[in-house]
């Protein structure tokens, strides 16, 4: 399992600068006494210190090669060739040709030591340096001395990411007890705190095994499995626990123009829904192509920090379709339009009543927009953080046309 996100867009100069800054912040968090005492770790910076994406432990060729090979699934043939070249260089000891930048850390206290003690085993840590997002957090790949990737760790560093790490811990524990049959999720290996950071270590799903084509039917069946894993309820939007919770989130962002526009669209949408009955169930919360892998005998799904219960059934299908379109076309506004137009087809496997399908897709957009505003994604520099450029115009117009 690899809970890292591979951004579809090319790395910009601004993103590179933010990654470099974040690299320093991550080192300070994971090695708080860096600069004191003996050296405890050395890392290659991949691809380099100006554009850091991955820190690879330099102490063992086998471990270093495994860290790169199982870091993330390349999204193109060119990316796969680059990854394979780095893996080959690390295996043969020729890494100095491709990886010229290294970081040495020192000190008596480190995240490596904490995890060795918590898990009771030897390990090396590889560190993912992600793009700017409000929910960005250190993600650690845990590798045995034999080069086996056996786990992934997440560290919640601030109020938002600590809440998300706790939420994912609770979600994984609940899902293990829910009797899922159509998909495979990680198990919790360790959860707790270290130096005020929220820590979750989960098992590694075997994403490196050969992939199989994913059919729409298999994907829908897995999403239906999640939707019903904690049971269903039904009822109108007005007075539902879902609308009560969503309305509270919308109220919290009324200090911003986008929040005011979103709140007005949501209120109109609820009025337009009238006596329509919705089914409510669970959803993954961020079921996107980069958070899953389809094998011949298993569908692997990870990154459960947005898992929630009591939402209109079918949200996962709409979210996946939208994210896939944004990834493939790069035009987020057109992707929103196309996804709403496809609502009837997307929601049919979930037994959503025909009159509720477009309403469900629009409710999902309200929910997603509320998340972006609550998390302050625009302020964090997220690529799609400014909702007025893509999501809000489509949502407002479609609601007014109901």
């Amino acid at each position: 399992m690899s809970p890292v996100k591979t951004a579809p867009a090319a790395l910009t100069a601004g993103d590179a600068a933010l990654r470099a800054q974040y690299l320093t912040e991550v080192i300070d968090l994971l090695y708080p006494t860096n600069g004191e005492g003996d050296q405890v770790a050395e890392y290659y910076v991949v691809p380099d210190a100006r554009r850091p994406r991955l820190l690879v432990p330099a102490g063992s060729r086998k471990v270093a090669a495994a860290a790169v090979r199982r870091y993330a699934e390349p999204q193109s043939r060119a990316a796969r060739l680059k990854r394979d070249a780095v893996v080959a260089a690390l295996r043969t000891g020729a890494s100095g040709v491709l990886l010229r930048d290294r970081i040495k850390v020192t000190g008596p206290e480190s995240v490596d030591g904490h995890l060795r003690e918590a898990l009771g085993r030897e390990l090396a840590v590889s560190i993912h340096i992600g793009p700017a997002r409000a929910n960005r957090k250190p993600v650690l790949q845990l590798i045995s001395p034999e080069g086996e990737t056996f786990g992934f760790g997440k560290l919640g560093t601030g109020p938002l990411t600590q809440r998300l790490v706790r939420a994912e811990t609770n979600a994984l524990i609940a899902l293990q007890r829910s009797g899922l049959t159509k998909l495979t999720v990680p198990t919790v290996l360790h959860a707790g705190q270290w130096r005020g950071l929220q820590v979750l270590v989960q098992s590694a799903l075997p994403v490196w095994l050969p992939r199989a084509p994913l059919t729409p039917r298999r994907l829908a069946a897995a999403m239906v499995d999640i939707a019903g894993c904690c049971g269903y309820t039904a009822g109108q939007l007005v007075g539902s626990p879902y609308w009560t919770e969503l309305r509270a989130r919308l109220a919290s962002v009324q200090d911003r123009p986008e929040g005011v526009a979103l709140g007005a669209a949501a209120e109109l949408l609820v009025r337009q829904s009238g006596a329509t009955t919705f089914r409510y169930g669970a959803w993954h919360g961020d079921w996107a192509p980069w958070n899953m892998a389809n094998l011949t005998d298993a569908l692997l799904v990870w990154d459960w920090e947005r898992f929630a219960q009591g939402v209109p059934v079918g949200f996962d299908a709409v979210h996946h379709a939208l994210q896939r379109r944004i990834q493939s076309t790069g035009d987020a506004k057109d992707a929103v339009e196309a996804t709403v137009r496809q609502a009837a087809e997307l929601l049919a496997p979930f037994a959503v009543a025909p009159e509720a399908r477009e309403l469900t897709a629009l409710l999902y957009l309200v929910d997603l927009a509320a998340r972006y505003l609550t998390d302050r994604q625009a302020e964090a520099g997220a690529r799609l953080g400014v909702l007025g450029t893509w999501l809000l115009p489509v949502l407002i117009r479609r609601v007014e046309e109901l």
Side-chain angles (χ1 to χ4, degrees), residues 53-284:
R53 287 186 177 273
L54 186 68
L55 298 185
V56 176
S60 161
R61 293 182 185 178
K62 183 185 295 186
V63 169
V68 174
R69 187 175 66 252
R70 295 182 175 174
Y71 150 64
E73 183 67 17
Q75 299 297 299
S76 66
R77 183 174 181 273
R80 187 174 295 107
L81 291 173
K82 289 179 182 179
R83 181 202 62 181
D84 292 346
V86 173
V87 170
L90 290 167
R91 281 176 173 165
T92 61
S95 54
V97 176
L98 294 178
L99 305 175
R100 299 182 181 277
D101 294 330
R102 299 190 185 192
I103 291 177
K104 297 180 180 180
V105 291
T106 60
E109 193 168 10
S110 69
V111 72
D112 313 46
H114 169 72
L115 293 176
R116 290 188 189 101
E117 182 177 352
L119 298 172
R121 61 182 297 177
E122 283 299 311
L123 58 86
V125 171
S126 178
I127 305 166
H128 172 236
I129 307 298
R133 292 179 297 141
N135 52 316
R136 178 169 61 177
K137 64 190 77 63
V139 176
L140 313 178
Q141 182 184 177
L142 308 185
I143 308 166
S144 73
E146 296 74 34
E148 172 204 4
T149 297
F150 68 88
F152 285 88
K154 292 185 178 182
L155 300 180
T157 60
L160 171 60
T161 55
Q162 288 190 0
R163 175 173 60 80
L164 292 174
V165 171
R166 285 193 297 268
E168 183 163 17
T169 302
N170 294 333
L172 292 178
I173 292 171
L175 290 170
Q176 289 300 318
R177 302 168 180 163
S178 64
L180 297 174
T181 60
K182 305 297 184 182
L183 68 162
T184 302
V185 304
T187 59
V188 175
L189 301 180
H190 168 69
Q193 290 197 336
W194 176 68
R195 294 184 60 86
L197 307 179
Q198 194 70 33
V199 181
L200 167 63
V201 179
Q202 52 193 283
S203 61
L205 298 178
V207 299
W208 46 84
L209 294 178
R211 303 291 178 92
L214 176 60
T215 64
R217 183 175 180 179
R218 187 175 195 180
L219 177 61
M223 290 179 174
V224 170
D225 203 15
I226 288 298
C229 71
C230 301
Y232 292 107
T233 59
Q236 298 175 12
L237 273 176
V238 176
S240 69
Y242 172 73
W243 173 236
T244 299
E245 187 274 338
L246 178 58
R247 201 175 195 182
R249 283 193 283 143
L250 293 169
S252 72
V253 297
Q254 291 301 297
D255 58 333
R256 280 164 278 172
E258 288 184 321
V260 173
L262 177 62
E267 295 285 352
L268 178 57
L269 176 59
V270 173
R271 290 197 299 272
Q272 300 280 37
S273 71
T276 304
T277 297
F278 293 82
R279 295 176 73 217
Y280 304 93
W283 76 315
H284 174 282

Side-chain angles (χ1 to χ4, degrees), residues 331-399:
D331 190 326
K333 189 174 181 180
D334 281 356
V336 175
E337 287 275 14
T339 301
V340 175
R341 287 197 300 269
Q342 196 189 6
E345 176 188 345
L346 292 170
L347 297 174
F350 297 85
V352 176
E355 66 272 15
R357 292 177 186 175
E358 183 176 354
L359 292 168
T360 297
L362 295 174
L363 269 174
Y364 156 76
L365 293 178
V366 173
D367 198 298
L368 181 67
R371 176 190 300 179
Y372 269 67
L373 291 176
T374 302
D375 293 354
R376 296 188 174 274
Q377 293 285 6
E379 291 90 329
R383 188 172 65 90
L384 295 177
V386 182
L387 299 176
T389 63
W390 63 289
L391 191 155
L392 271 180
V394 179
L395 171 63
I396 292 170
R397 180 176 55 77
R398 298 292 299 219
V399 170

